[in-house]
Amino acid sequence: MTTARARTVLLAAPRSFCAGVERAIDTVERLLAAPDREEPVYVRKQIVHNTHVVADLAARGAVFVDELDEVPRGSTVVFSAHGVSPAVHEQAKQRGLTVIDATCPLVTKVHAEARRFAARGNTIVLVGHAGHEEVEGTAGEAPEVTLVVDGPAEVAALQVPDESRVAYLTQTTLSVDEAEETIQALRRRFPRLHGPSSADICYASTNRQESVEAVARQSDVVLVIGSENSSNSQRLVEVARRQGIPAYLIEDASAISPAWIESADTIGLSAGASAPAVLVDAVVEALRAWGPLTVREHVTAVEDIAFAPPPDVRRLP
């Protein structure tokens, strides 16, 4: 880059890891570091949706598999932060696997809600992205009565056996605004709609979206660090774009295109809840190499939440 114009990087806060992601990664790290470990640490799917995190853990000995039939019988397997269905738990039991469940507690809450609504005879409308691991896990709690919708446009076509017995749940990493549009469409379609006692979209998704929205209003362009399959990272890009400015999802500093920032005076920067903070530092340093840079942080919330490790790993160092 030839220009030496002075720029400002406006860091959105909070950003990067949330408590559920930290818990899941810590679970695998503790198992890898166990002094009496004699077998590989198997992980079903990506522990969190970030290629850098997965590559780092794989380099340290974690073995990531897509399905449980790839795990030798009698081995230990970690379930990812996104959660799994009861069918997957049953498959693990049949294969004699020791399960370490690193499901985020906030996802576990949604699973419990699904069971409760199903037990009451409700049809469950799950607002989320079909095919996403979290949605598959939640829907699997009551597959015979769960319908998945991806937005308000899909609500009108829903067919349920009893319109007075319909409940909704949401994926935890959705856009707050877009989820609300779908929920309002459901309320119009089903006036007696039931919902969770508290919002399913997690605090981390909400906080990061609010921070990116605030930063985007003061920026010429926004960069969001995260992997393509990270729902919460994708939502941050969408939130920024709704402010009328360009926004880009980048895996790391190497993905930055100079054309995106050559005319920008202020660059907003955030990272999805599954993206390591070290990647943020690397992006700042990359931008600093292209000219004078002032770095400021815009804080909209302070997070102090922590989740205890799964019971089977609490004794490990």
Side-chain angles (χ1 to χ4, degrees):
M1 189 140 179
T2 57
T3 182
R5 69 186 296 161
R7 294 182 175 84
T8 296
V9 167
L10 194 56
L11 292 173
R15 60 184 176 275
S16 279
F17 286 172
C18 64
V21 165
E22 289 178 342
R23 176 180 184 266
I25 295 171
D26 178 67
T27 295
V28 178
E29 290 178 335
R30 289 190 185 208
L31 292 169
L32 289 171
D36 58 349
R37 180 170 69 91
E38 297 180 352
E39 63 176 22
V41 175
Y42 293 94
V43 184
R44 183 185 181 275
K45 307 293 187 181
Q46 293 186 347
I47 187 68
V48 298
H49 284 161
N50 185 269
T51 58
H52 287 274
V53 169
V54 171
D56 175 64
L57 293 174
R60 293 156 63 181
V63 179
F64 292 89
V65 300
D66 286 327
E67 300 300 340
L68 291 184
D69 57 12
E70 301 173 58
V71 181
R73 289 182 177 275
S75 298
T76 296
V77 64
V78 180
F79 288 163
S80 78
H82 310 102
V84 301
S85 69
V88 175
H89 279 282
E90 180 59 28
Q91 184 186 5
K93 181 179 179 181
Q94 292 175 358
R95 292 185 60 79
L97 303 178
T98 298
V99 170
I100 306 296
D101 193 349
T103 301
C104 174
L106 300 181
V107 174
T108 300
K109 162 187 172 290
V110 183
H111 283 214
E113 291 168 344
R115 293 192 298 271
R116 185 175 70 252
F117 281 134
R120 293 175 179 173
N122 288 283
T123 297
I124 300 169
V125 180
L126 177 56
V127 183
H129 305 299
H132 189 280
E133 289 162 38
E134 181 188 326
V135 170
E136 291 180 345
T138 301
E141 292 288 350
E144 67 285 352
V145 297
T146 300
L147 305 172
V148 178
V149 298
D150 198 8
E154 299 180 13
V155 171
L158 288 174
Q159 297 294 322
V160 302
D162 184 347
E163 294 194 355
S164 69
R165 302 179 74 85
V166 179
Y168 77 89
L169 298 171
T170 73
Q171 184 177 338
T172 63
T173 55
L174 296 181
S175 160
V176 174
D177 291 341
E178 291 184 353
E180 184 58 29
E181 291 177 10
T182 305
I183 293 167
Q184 290 306 317
L186 286 168
R187 292 195 186 282
R188 290 191 294 271
R189 176 78 169 77
F190 307 108
R192 297 179 65 180
L193 182 72
H194 304 279
S197 57
S198 60
D200 287 337
I201 297 177
C202 76
Y203 78 92
S205 295
T206 301
N207 287 347
R208 281 153 187 73
Q209 288 174 32
E210 290 177 350
S211 184
V212 163
E213 181 177 0
V215 163
R217 292 172 181 156
Q218 305 174 58
S219 302
D220 302 304
V221 63
V222 169
L223 304 178
V224 175
I225 303 169
S227 294
E228 286 288 338
N229 63 339
S230 169
S231 175
N232 75 85
S233 300
Q234 292 279 9
R235 304 293 81 76
L236 295 181
V237 175
E238 294 171 359
V239 166
R241 287 175 178 168
R242 284 202 295 274
Q243 305 311 305
I245 66 166
Y248 303 94
L249 181 67
I250 58 173
E251 191 74 57
D252 51 38
S254 68
I256 301 173
S257 169
W260 298 344
I261 62 173
E262 59 186 1
S263 61
D265 293 317
T266 301
I267 302 166
L269 180 60
S270 187
S274 50
V278 66
L279 298 180
V280 177
D281 298 337
V283 167
V284 170
E285 289 309 306
L287 295 173
R288 198 184 302 279
W290 294 343
L293 198 69
T294 299
V295 179
R296 294 192 291 112
E297 187 172 55
H298 186 91
V299 180
T300 56
V302 176
E303 295 177 351
D304 57 3
I305 295 174
F307 295 133
D312 291 341
V313 300
R314 290 177 191 173
R315 61 178 177 81
L316 299 175

